[in-house]
């Protein structure tokens, strides 16, 4: 059901070949008065999200009323803030929105989609376009029911793009319709009253603005048609063109065009109908989402749209004989979280558990039922073992794949890793999925006799865990069985999704040092976690006064909770240690940020193409900051890229006239790993600062992977891999693996700069996989015999179907080349084909 206020004030949104893709389109083409696919998609998602929350009363807060939002611009902050108050972060919602919007925009950027007339309702492919939408809708539902929400968002973005294009590219608006097409993308319905191939549909127009150029006979008989674009397919004489400066077909009879993509005559011959087309495209997008909601549960719909208070509680547990206390502590902390949040909407969406030992790891226990999760935990018993190392990274890789992005995973172990060769894959998953990983190690790394062993243990055997924790912005805590139950309380501390990182450092040596972190008035519940042999610790507030806080020490682990309200300004930590140490400072705040890197696209589809994986060295780059909960009194001024050696590159942030979005041009990507932070001011020049927890690194190559997304058990499934090299000549070692079998395929290839190579291989799908199981295929390309250069990485999710099910043609593509200017980059793609 459409909300009444949707139709009162028109589009509550900022004023291509398709509506232009996203906010950057306005920057490149100066079409500030036009509506983009991003505008339409965000507005539709916000409207349906509000309707879901109106229909599902919060158990402890006052109900929402649609009258409170009537005539106002809808924002995620306003809707979710009114419903949840301050108890949740907007990160998962904004991240899900960004994924849907990016998938929508990519339809105009990627080689496989941007010139396909069926996907854009061009070249009179109206009936075919509708058939494609219906097939894609079936696959969207399949993904949602399989709980594969990330893949579902990709498909949803593509569907909304095509749906919106119908109103911009056909003559539906010119026929005088004031409502949406009732049968478009509606199961069981088809599109009729379409002009025949032999009929003239347009007359010549010699102006950039084409008035009344639809053929009179077409108008009189109310027949649908759409414009041809470019050279393929060739436009027959007397047919309409798309029009605009990049459409070669507009010079052939009938000259001119009918697109309503923008409000500017230069790009859109029917620019004067742009607002009407946008209004209908918005209504159609809302209708589609509302009808989709009718086919799934509201809980599934909320997960699809990223309405989540707490995405996951995720554990990786060593189950060897010495781990009894650790398993007990995980149970205790899980019960505490479940009991604390049982009466609210803050239950985790998922509970995830991955056990490991040697030589086995898994399976993955993933459930939304807290009681089922506790049963799985209770079923674990510490058995066997007695020597090192164990399959920790294999289990962690499974957890990273199965845990929703922007979550934290807790690893309990007392043994080093046997599968260190998975390090680069694990790091790539951490960076791409923006995950924190914290290790609770119940053995001091300087000891070597905690349990019976047959070999001498290296004193630095836990350095790998320390590095992974640092890359992810997580923690590594060394303790013992005596203190593990207290130390594990860091899990409860992190069981809030508004936790933000204020400061994080991991040193290579001890000594005397001081560290500074900034507290603003929007921060509360600040906690310091210090791991190491600390001989002296002093904390001073901005006035120079010593603050003790509530301090707890358990062996070499110290936890300090500062009392609210906190003095605003720079706080200083003075340290004296005799060995390397780590400090992690976190607080809770409604203000946070997300970010992504993109590269500008010019030509027929101007916009910003989002780089969803690693940033790419040598490609023009824009960094976009999505500010979450930014107070009205605040503004962001600059973004910093800080390398691990402390060198910082700063770029000015520009407000780009889109709610909460800022952009900065990055002149050169840092070498090696780096972190991203933002700075700004509020009030009377007071400082504002946030740091993203994960570190990134730019790659020199791009991997593309494509495959049919549907697989059947017991078959060999073909996968195509394309690698493009951007820098100097390299030998690459390319490894293809998946998460349901131990099989992998590795090949080497030598590549010159700027070259690309395509390889086709197969994965074996095990016989015992159940229907709707997700199979994640991963591809990694390492520079041969080099550990210093960042590997390229991508992955693709496939869905297991029954042997007798009909395969609808859904092709998944992870990464693509794009754009007539021959720029290239990588992204996650699930193409409808």
């Amino acid at each position: 059901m459409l909300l009444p206020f949707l139709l009162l004030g028109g589009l509550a949104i900022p004023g291509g070949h398709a509506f232009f893709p996203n906010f950057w389109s306005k920057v490149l083409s100066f079409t500030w008065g036009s509506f983009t696919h991003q505008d339409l998609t965000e507005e539709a998602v916000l409207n349906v999200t509000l309707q879901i929350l109106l229909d599902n009363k919060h158990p402890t807060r006052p109900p929402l009323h649609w009258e409170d939002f009537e005539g106002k611009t809808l924002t995620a902050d306003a809707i979710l803030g009114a419903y949840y108050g301050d108890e949740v972060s907007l990160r998962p919602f904004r991240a899900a929105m960004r994924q849907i919007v990016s998938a929508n925009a990519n339809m105009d950027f990627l080689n496989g989609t941007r010139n396909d007339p069926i996907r854009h309702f061009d070249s009179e492919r109206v009936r075919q376009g509708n058939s494609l939408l219906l097939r894609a809708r079936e696959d969207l539902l399949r993904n949602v029911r399989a709980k594969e929400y990330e893949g579902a968002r990709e498909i949803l973005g593509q569907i909304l793009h095509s749906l919106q294009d119908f109103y911009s590219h056909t003559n539906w608006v010119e026929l005088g319709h004031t409502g949406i097409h009732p049968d478009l993308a509606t199961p069981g319905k088809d599109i009729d009253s379409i002009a025949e191939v032999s009929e003239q549909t347009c007359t010549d127009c010699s102006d950039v603005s084409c008035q009344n150029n639809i053929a009179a006979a077409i108008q009189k008989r109310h027949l649908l048609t759409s414009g041809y674009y470019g050279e393929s397919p060739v436009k027959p004489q007397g047919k309409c063109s798309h029009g605009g400066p990049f459409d070669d077909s507009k010079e052939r009879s009938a000259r001119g065009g009918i697109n309503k993509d923008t409000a500017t005559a230069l790009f859109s011959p029917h620019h004067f109908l742009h607002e009407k087309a946008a209004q209908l495209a918005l209504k159609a997008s809302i209708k589609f989402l509302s009808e989709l909601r009718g086919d799934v549960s509201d809980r599934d719909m909320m997960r699809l749209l990223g309405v989540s208070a707490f995405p996951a509680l995720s554990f990786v547990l060593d189950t060897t004989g010495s781990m009894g206390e650790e398993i007990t502590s995980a149970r205790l902390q899980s019960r505490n979280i479940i009991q604390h949040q049982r009466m609210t909407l803050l239950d985790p969406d998922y509970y995830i558990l991955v056990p490991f030992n040697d030589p086995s790891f898994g399976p993955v226990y993933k459930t939304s039922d807290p009681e089922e999760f506790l049963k799985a935990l209770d079923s674990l018993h510490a058995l066997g073992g007695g020597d090192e190392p164990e399959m920790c990274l294999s289990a962690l890789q499974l957890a990273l794949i199965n845990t929703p992005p922007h979550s934290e995973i807790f690893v309990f172990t007392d043994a080093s890793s046997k599968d260190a060769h998975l390090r680069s894959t694990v790091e790539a998953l951490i960076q791409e999925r923006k995950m924190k990983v914290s290790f609770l190690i119940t053995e001091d790394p300087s000891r070597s006799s905690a349990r019976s062993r047959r070999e001498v243990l290296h004193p630095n055997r836990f350095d790998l865990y320390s590095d992974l924790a640092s890359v992810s912005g997580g923690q590594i805590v060394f303790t013992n069985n005596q203190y593990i139950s207290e130390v594990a309380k860091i899990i409860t501390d992190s069981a809030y999704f508004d936790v933000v990182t204020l400061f994080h450092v991991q040193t290579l040596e001890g000594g005397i040092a001081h560290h500074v972190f900034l507290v603003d008035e929007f921060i509360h519940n600040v906690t310091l976690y210090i791991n190491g042999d600390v001989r002296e610790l002093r904390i001073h507030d901005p006035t120079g006064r010593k603050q003790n806080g509530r301090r707890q020490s358990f062996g070499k682990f110290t936890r300090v909770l500062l009392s609210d309200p906190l003095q605003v300004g720079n706080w200083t930590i003075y340290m004296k240690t005799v060995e390397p140490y780590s400090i992690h400072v976190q607080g809770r705040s409604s203000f946070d940020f997300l970010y992504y890197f993109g590269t500008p696209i010019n030509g027929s589809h101007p916009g910003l193409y989002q780089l969803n994986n690693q940033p790419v060295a040598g490609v023009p780059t824009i960094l976009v900051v999505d500010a979450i909960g930014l107070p009205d009194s605040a503004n962001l001024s600059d973004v910093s890229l800080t390398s691990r050696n402390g060198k910082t590159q700063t770029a000015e942030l520009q407000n780009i006239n889109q709610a909460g979005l800022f952009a900065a041009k990055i002149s050169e990507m840092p070498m090696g790993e780096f972190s991203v932070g933002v700075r700004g001011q509020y009030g009377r020049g007071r400082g504002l600062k946030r740091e993203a927890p994960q570190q990134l690194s730019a790659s020199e190559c791009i991997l593309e992977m494509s495959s049919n997304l549907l697989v059947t058990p017991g078959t060999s499934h073909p996968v195509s891999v394309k690698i493009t090299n951007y820098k100097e000549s390299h030998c690459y070692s390319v490894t293809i693996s998946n998460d349901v079998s131990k099989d992998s395929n590795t090949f080497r290839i030598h590549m010159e700069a700027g070259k690309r190579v395509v390889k086709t291989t197969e994965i074996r799908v095990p016989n015992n996989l159940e229907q709707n199981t997700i199979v994640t295929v991963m591809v990694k390309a390492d520079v041969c015999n080099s550990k210093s250069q960042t590997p390229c990485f991508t992955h693709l999710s496939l869905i297991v179907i029954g042997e007798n099910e009909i395969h609808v043609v859904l092709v998944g593509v992870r990464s693509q080349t794009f754009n007539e200017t021959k720029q290239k980059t990588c992204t996650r793609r699930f193409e409808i084909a």
Side-chain angles (χ1 to χ4, degrees):
M1 181 181 70
L2 299 185
L3 294 180
F5 67 87
L6 294 178
L7 312 180
L8 294 178
L11 290 169
I13 50 182
H17 181 75
F19 293 105
F20 277 4
N22 53 33
F23 72 91
W24 201 253
S25 308
K26 301 178 184 181
V27 176
L28 294 174
S29 61
F30 302 100
T31 53
W32 295 106
S34 301
F35 304 120
T36 66
H37 280 291
Q38 178 173 355
D39 295 327
L40 300 171
T41 301
E42 289 182 350
E43 183 73 2
V45 170
L46 287 170
N47 272 277
V48 174
T49 299
L50 177 57
Q51 185 64 66
I52 294 172
L53 298 182
L54 286 168
D55 294 341
N56 292 271
K57 184 181 181 301
H58 193 288
T60 61
R61 291 178 54 80
L64 299 185
H65 301 284
W66 72 263
E67 293 89 350
D68 296 334
F69 300 91
E70 183 178 359
K72 298 178 181 178
T73 298
L74 294 183
T75 66
D77 294 33
I79 294 172
L80 298 186
Y83 188 77
Y84 287 108
D86 295 331
E87 63 190 15
V88 301
S89 167
L90 298 179
R91 264 182 292 180
F93 183 79
R94 295 284 273 270
M97 177 81 84
R98 190 178 74 198
Q99 187 181 5
I100 296 168
V101 166
S102 176
N104 185 318
N106 286 348
M107 293 280 277
D108 279 341
F109 296 150
L110 301 178
N111 283 335
T113 58
R114 70 172 184 268
N115 291 324
D116 185 342
I118 297 176
R119 300 171 194 271
H120 301 283
F121 283 94
D122 288 332
S123 306
E124 299 186 295
R125 268 53 172 184
V126 177
R127 186 170 285 114
Q128 298 94 318
N130 188 56
S131 297
L132 182 61
L133 284 176
L134 292 174
R135 294 201 303 272
R137 188 181 188 276
E138 293 175 7
D139 290 302
L140 171 59
L141 286 171
R142 186 193 300 275
N143 275 260
V144 172
R145 289 164 181 161
K147 313 299 182 186
E148 172 49 20
Y149 299 111
E150 292 174 73
R153 291 180 197 125
E154 299 282 346
I155 300 172
L156 176 58
Q158 296 173 16
I159 289 173
L160 292 179
H161 184 105
S162 296
L163 194 70
Q164 292 157 6
D165 275 0
F166 173 85
Y167 296 95
S168 177
H169 293 180
T170 72
N171 64 328
W172 178 262
V173 175
E174 285 85 345
L175 290 174
H177 294 291
T178 58
I180 60 178
H181 197 298
D183 298 332
L184 183 64
T186 302
K189 302 289 186 178
D190 201 357
I191 304 294
D192 53 18
S193 299
I194 300 173
E196 297 291 336
V197 176
S198 59
E199 293 185 89
Q200 180 180 352
T201 56
C202 270
T203 58
D204 278 345
C205 167
S206 57
D207 297 329
V208 291
S209 181
C210 292
Q211 301 274 351
N212 302 316
N213 63 327
I214 303 288
I218 298 297
Q219 292 290 92
K220 182 178 180 180
R221 295 162 58 200
H222 272 69
L223 298 180
L224 273 175
T225 188
S226 65
Y228 285 73
Y229 183 87
E231 299 292 337
S232 180
V234 175
K235 185 181 77 169
Q237 187 168 347
K239 293 294 185 179
C240 302
S241 286
H242 178 85
F246 302 101
D247 178 15
D248 294 334
S249 77
K250 71 177 184 297
E251 301 302 330
R252 294 191 296 272
S253 176
R255 291 188 295 273
I258 65 169
N259 91 71
K260 297 161 283 294
D261 293 343
T262 74
T264 303
L266 174 64
F267 294 102
S268 301
H270 283 198
H271 60 96
F272 46 88
L273 295 175
H274 169 74
E275 185 171 346
K276 289 183 179 180
Q279 291 275 2
L280 295 183
L282 173 61
K283 292 178 184 178
S285 300
I286 295 171
K287 174 180 178 286
F288 180 86
L289 289 169
S290 299
E291 291 177 348
L292 177 68
R293 178 188 171 197
D295 288 337
V296 300
S297 69
D298 274 357
R299 188 173 179 86
D300 276 335
M301 196 71 184
M302 291 170 74
R303 287 174 178 166
L304 173 65
L305 301 181
V307 182
S308 172
F310 185 12
L313 179 64
S314 187
F315 291 154
V316 175
L317 276 174
D318 184 342
T319 58
T320 48
S322 56
M323 292 294 294
E325 291 293 333
E326 291 82 349
I327 295 173
T328 300
S329 295
R331 289 181 186 135
L332 178 62
Q333 295 307 315
S334 298
R335 290 186 188 278
N336 288 343
I337 291 170
I338 290 168
Q339 290 170 1
H340 180 262
Q341 297 173 334
R342 190 180 294 273
M343 299 307 295
T344 72
L345 292 187
L346 299 182
D347 286 337
D349 286 342
Y350 290 108
Y351 301 87
I352 295 149
L353 172 64
V354 186
F356 72 94
N357 47 54
D358 181 24
S360 65
F361 58 93
V364 178
Y365 298 94
K366 184 174 182 179
T367 179
S368 297
D369 185 340
E371 297 304 324
E372 289 296 321
F373 177 70
L374 292 175
K375 286 181 182 178
L377 268 176
D378 290 340
S379 71
L380 294 183
H381 300 285
L383 299 172
D387 60 354
E388 286 203 22
E390 291 165 7
M391 304 295 286
C392 181
L393 292 199
S394 296
L396 178 55
Q397 177 177 282
L398 286 178
L400 287 165
I401 290 169
N402 287 277
T403 303
H406 302 277
S407 300
E408 185 166 6
I409 297 171
F410 295 93
V411 182
F412 291 77
T413 188
D414 64 355
S416 57
S417 177
K418 187 176 186 176
D419 42 10
H421 63 280
L422 293 176
R423 172 175 179 159
S424 58
T425 299
V426 166
E427 286 183 341
L429 285 168
I430 286 170
Q431 293 181 10
E432 181 195 1
R433 298 174 67 77
K434 303 294 187 292
M435 306 289 279
K436 284 186 183 180
V437 180
S438 290
F439 293 84
L440 284 74
I441 313 294
T442 46
E443 180 175 1
D444 191 305
S446 66
R447 296 169 58 194
S448 60
S449 59
R451 54 177 174 170
S452 174
R453 294 180 177 89
R454 293 170 295 194
E455 74 274 16
V456 176
L457 300 179
H458 195 284
N460 298 324
R461 63 192 179 280
F462 294 121
D463 284 358
L464 172 57
Y465 298 159
S466 180
D467 290 344
L468 291 175
S470 179
V471 165
S472 73
Q475 303 181 60
I476 181 166
V477 178
F478 294 100
T479 184
N480 55 38
N481 287 341
Q482 177 184 355
Y483 298 128
I484 184 61
S485 61
E486 292 295 328
V487 171
K489 289 180 179 178
I490 67 171
I491 300 171
T492 305
D493 292 346
S494 298
Y496 300 93
F497 214 59
D498 60 349
V499 171
V500 297
T501 299
L502 302 181
F503 179 77
H504 184 89
V505 68
Q506 188 167 314
T507 69
L508 299 176
E509 58 186 8
I512 298 174
H514 74 277
H515 306 282
V516 177
F517 64 94
L518 178 64
V519 172
D520 54 65
E521 66 180 44
F522 314 108
I523 289 283
H524 62 98
N525 286 65
V526 172
T527 307
L528 287 72
Y529 304 94
I530 302 164
N531 192 66
D533 190 355
V534 179
R535 300 301 172 88
E536 184 179 353
L537 171 64
R538 291 180 288 118
I539 303 171
H540 289 191
D541 68 18
T543 67
R545 297 175 59 182
K546 184 178 179 181
Q547 299 289 339
N548 293 321
R550 193 169 69 205
R551 185 176 306 188
Q552 298 173 301
S553 294
F554 307 101
K556 295 184 177 182
F557 175 72
T558 300
R559 177 178 179 266
V560 183
L561 176 63
L562 300 180
S563 300
D564 291 325
L566 295 175
Q567 183 79 32
V568 171
N570 286 321
W571 288 62
T572 306
I573 306 169
Y574 296 92
M575 305 270 303
K576 183 178 181 181
T577 64
V578 294
E579 64 181 20
Y581 61 91
S582 66
I583 303 176
H584 180 85
V585 184
Q586 69 182 35
R588 295 181 59 192
S589 174
S590 58
F591 166 54
D592 197 5
F593 77 102
L594 298 171
Y595 69 92
Y596 63 88
F597 292 92
T599 188
I601 304 298
N602 290 302
S604 61
H605 312 80
L608 189 71
Y609 181 75
Q610 180 177 331
L611 306 172
N612 284 346
N613 290 346
Q614 307 134 299
V616 182
V619 173
T621 302
I622 301 294
L623 191 152
V624 178
V625 171
D626 187 354
I628 298 171
L630 184 67
D632 292 338
S633 62
N635 185 56
L636 298 182
S637 57
D638 57 81
V639 62
S640 60
L641 309 182
T642 304
S643 301
R644 295 192 73 173
N645 62 9
K647 182 179 179 181
T648 298
Q649 174 184 337
T650 302
E652 182 181 359
L653 284 171
Q654 300 289 336
N655 191 313
I656 50 180
N657 297 323
Q658 193 90 1
L661 288 184
F662 298 80
K665 182 179 180 181
I666 306 301
S667 57
E668 184 178 0
M669 299 301 301
M671 297 295 294
E673 293 173 345
F674 63 93
S675 59
V676 177
V678 296
R679 294 177 182 271
Q681 301 80 34
Y682 70 96
R684 297 183 177 180
R686 287 183 166 177
L688 194 63
K689 180 181 178 183
R690 292 290 185 272
E691 297 285 341
Q694 293 81 20
Q695 294 181 349
L696 294 173
S697 51
S699 63
E700 296 183 359
C701 61
I702 289 175
L703 282 172
E704 305 175 42
M705 179 166 49
S706 61
S707 172
N708 189 316
L709 288 183
L710 306 179
V711 299
T712 52
T715 62
S716 293
H717 191 78
V719 175
S720 176
V721 177
K722 180 190 292 185
I723 180 169
T724 305
N725 181 38
Y726 278 88
K727 287 290 189 177
E728 59 199 52
S729 298
H730 281 311
C731 165
Y732 286 104
S733 175
V734 183
T735 301
I736 304 170
S737 60
N738 66 83
D739 66 334
V740 296
S741 72
K742 296 182 180 179
D743 298 334
S744 64
N745 180 19
T746 300
F747 61 87
R748 288 196 170 201
I749 187 167
H750 187 274
M751 300 188 65
E752 301 294 329
K755 299 296 184 180
R756 70 172 67 110
V757 173
V758 179
K759 292 282 187 178
T760 299
T761 185
E762 291 183 340
I763 64 166
R764 182 68 185 172
V765 184
N767 284 312
N768 59 349
L769 293 185
E770 297 181 356
Q771 188 171 337
N772 289 335
T773 298
I774 305 300
V775 179
T776 302
V777 184
M778 293 163 284
V779 181
K780 181 185 64 165
D782 294 284
V783 176
C784 302
N785 304 318
S786 173
K787 294 184 179 180
S788 61
Q789 291 178 285
T790 302
C792 305
F793 178 83
T794 191
H795 67 89
L796 188 66
S797 294
L798 313 177
I799 300 178
V800 176
I801 63 172
E803 293 183 9
N804 297 323
E805 278 194 77
I806 297 174
H807 284 245
V808 292
V809 186
L810 181 68
V811 176
V813 178
R814 182 58 181 247
S815 174
Q816 269 263 24
T817 57
F818 60 87
N819 184 289
E820 296 86 344
T821 61
K822 298 184 179 179
Q823 300 179 79
K824 309 172 188 71
T825 189
C826 56
T827 186
R828 178 171 183 153
R829 281 289 301 144
F830 289 84
E831 277 191 2
I832 310 164

